[in-house]
Amino acid sequence: MGYVTQEYYLESFHGEPITEEDFPELMDRASELVEEMTLYRLSPDSFRMMPQMMQERVMDAVCAQIEYLDANGGSDADNGTDLLSASLGKFSYTKAGADSGTGSGCRYAPRAQRILMPTGLMYRGGGGY
């Protein structure tokens, strides 16, 4: 189940434009990743029972994840493949491989994580000091 529509993504979240053909796949993958980010505390059933403010944070996190996936190679960005080099005009991008000691990168959108932080859905446990 997806948590957002393309209309919400464009008009409420104001995300970068994505084609109608690409949106469903990106939305599904982003929804899966946000569920994973929340240690599966988020599900379609739990979403329906959340307060409106929390639902909006989840929806915005999914949108941020959609935007992140689209900017980093689409839904295949989650498959662990590393981009070695890309350039367009003055813009150039190189992503380090696992053998360089920097790891393969993060598949979670940093913005999505920041959006979800106050919800408690990402709490991993442990005591306070």
Side-chain angles (χ1 to χ4, degrees), residues 3-15 23 27 47 52-64 66 115:
Y3 296 95
V4 297
T5 62
Q6 189 166 13
E7 180 181 354
Y8 180 89
Y9 173 80
L10 292 171
E11 295 178 17
S12 296
F13 183 76
H14 305 289
F23 185 82
M27 189 264 307
F47 178 76
Q52 182 66 30
M53 186 183 84
M54 203 164 174
Q55 285 183 2
E56 289 173 7
R57 284 201 169 269
V58 167
M59 292 164 54
D60 285 350
V62 170
C63 289
I66 290 169
I115 291 168

Side-chain angles (χ1 to χ4, degrees), residues 80-85 95-98 103-105:
T81 57
D82 286 332
L83 180 66
L84 297 177
S85 180
K95 187 173 181 180
S104 61

Side-chain angles (χ1 to χ4, degrees), residues 86-94:
S87 61
L88 179 63
K90 293 181 181 181
F91 174 77
S92 180
Y93 179 78
T94 300

